[in-house]
Amino acid sequence: MAKSKWTLVLALFLTFLAGRALAATVSVSVTVAVFECSDGSDNDADGFTDYPSDADCDSATDDSEAPPLSLCEDGIDNDGDGLTDYPADPGCESSSDDSEVNATQESTGAVSGSYGGTGSSQVAQPGQNIPSDANSSVEFSGQTLPNATVTILRNGLIVATAQADEAGSFQIIVASQPLGIYTYTINASTGNLRSLNQSFPVENSQSSQAVISDVDASKMTSQTRGDLNSDNRVNLKDFSILVYWMNRLDFPETIRQAELGILSGDGRITLRDFSILAYYWTG
């Protein structure tokens, strides 16, 4: 009976925490862009799919597999005669004609401007690697307290930190993210204060860009002592950080500030810091 009682209490507590996290992210918008030249579809039905197999794709982030417009439909006066495209330009026999120059212009040389085809002719070779720009990126932007440190975690591990400006605005682009489904978490801290975690599941697909905007990280609470990686938990990850920097004086400014603010505050990583971490341990 006692075990069932504590199980119910734990379930209610987790439901309460989930409600708080949801309330903190109501106004946030998430947009994921996938480009035609890397979406796995033959969008122009020419028998070739994505970059580099489709010759009309300049890169994996090209958003059109369609062939480039001909000179008689590109909206440009390519021969400089004051007339543009088919049927206005007499040099165009059809909209697919790739020259606006008519016979009179050719014979007199009265042609200005430039013209010529565009596009590339690249074919994938057996065993070719995925291009470097195939990795996705995730962009975060929003508001927090002025000059606060904003931290981005992927599946609980820090992947980026940045400082908000004097107005509290921030924008962080986390580039070259691995493909797959991950949970990204963002929080902000300043002094001994930190915002609640806000988490977002993001599917990183080839050459996609997730945009997470309107993040509000301005509501701060007292930072948990011992939480060195800013994931709102004190566990083995924090313990391993302490072990690595123990009795060293060359630790980075982020660790120095954490030691001063949420550990013993003596400027070193010692057994006193481990005792603080043990006291606030959440597992």
Side-chain angles (χ1 to χ4, degrees), residues 36 39-50 54 56-57 65-66:
E36 278 196 8
D39 63 358
S41 299
D42 180 12
N43 297 279
D44 57 356
D46 64 353
F48 299 96
T49 301
D50 293 351
D54 194 316
D56 296 314
C57 290
E65 280 192 351

Side-chain angles (χ1 to χ4, degrees), residues 3 5 24-25 47 55 69 75 78 81 139 174 177 189 201 220 261 269:
K3 182 177 180 180
K5 176 183 177 181
T25 62
L69 295 175
N78 296 281
D81 64 353
E139 177 183 331
V174 190
Q177 292 301 283
S189 61
M220 298 282 186
I269 303 297

Side-chain angles (χ1 to χ4, degrees), residues 119-131:
S120 60
S121 179
Q122 297 178 320
V123 180
Q125 301 299 318
Q128 184 172 8
N129 293 328
I130 295 175

Side-chain angles (χ1 to χ4, degrees), residues 140-144 150 163-165 168-172 186 215-217:
F140 294 84
S141 63
Q143 289 291 131
T144 184
V150 181
Q163 188 174 27
D165 61 22
S169 299
F170 64 86
Q171 181 182 32
I172 305 175
I186 183 170
V215 178
D216 183 3

Side-chain angles (χ1 to χ4, degrees), residues 71-244:
L71 297 186
C72 284
E73 60 178 351
D74 63 359
I76 300 173
D77 179 16
N78 296 281
D79 57 357
D81 64 353
L83 303 171
T84 301
D85 292 350
Y86 177 84
D89 194 315
C92 293
E93 296 180 359
S94 68
S95 60
S96 61
D97 192 346
D98 208 28
S99 174
E100 287 188 350
V101 180
N102 58 43
T104 302
Q105 289 173 306
E106 288 179 342
S107 63
T108 61
V111 179
S112 61
S114 62
Y115 56 95
T118 59
S120 60
S121 179
Q122 297 178 320
V123 180
Q125 301 299 318
Q128 184 172 8
N129 293 328
I130 295 175
S132 60
D133 60 352
N135 285 340
S136 63
S137 66
V138 184
E139 177 183 331
F140 294 84
S141 63
Q143 289 291 131
T144 184
L145 296 187
N147 302 312
T149 298
V150 181
T151 301
I152 307 294
L153 302 95
R154 184 185 68 237
N155 286 5
L157 299 178
I158 296 176
V159 292
T161 59
Q163 188 174 27
D165 61 22
E166 293 183 354
S169 299
F170 64 86
Q171 181 182 32
I172 305 175
I173 299 177
V174 190
S176 299
Q177 292 301 283
L179 307 186
I181 300 176
Y182 298 90
T183 297
Y184 286 85
T185 302
I186 183 170
N187 59 54
S189 61
T190 177
N192 198 38
L193 299 176
R194 189 177 65 203
S195 69
L196 291 174
N197 278 353
Q198 299 181 52
S199 296
F200 311 92
V202 175
E203 181 175 0
N204 296 333
S205 57
Q206 185 171 319
S207 299
S208 68
Q209 181 182 29
V211 179
I212 301 174
S213 55
D214 305 319
V215 178
D216 183 3
S218 59
K219 299 178 178 62
M220 298 282 186
T221 59
S222 295
Q223 189 170 8
T224 301
R225 299 194 68 182
D227 181 13
L228 292 173
N229 68 341
S230 300
D231 65 354
N232 285 342
R233 300 179 65 184
V234 181
N235 53 26
L236 282 174
K237 293 178 182 177
D238 305 292
F239 179 81
S240 64
I241 294 173
L242 282 189
V243 169
Y244 182 81

Side-chain angles (χ1 to χ4, degrees), residues 245-252 256 266-269:
W245 295 109
M246 184 177 182
N247 292 326
R248 295 175 60 175
L249 298 177
D250 60 337
F251 42 76
R256 187 182 306 279
D266 62 2
R268 298 181 301 157
I269 303 297

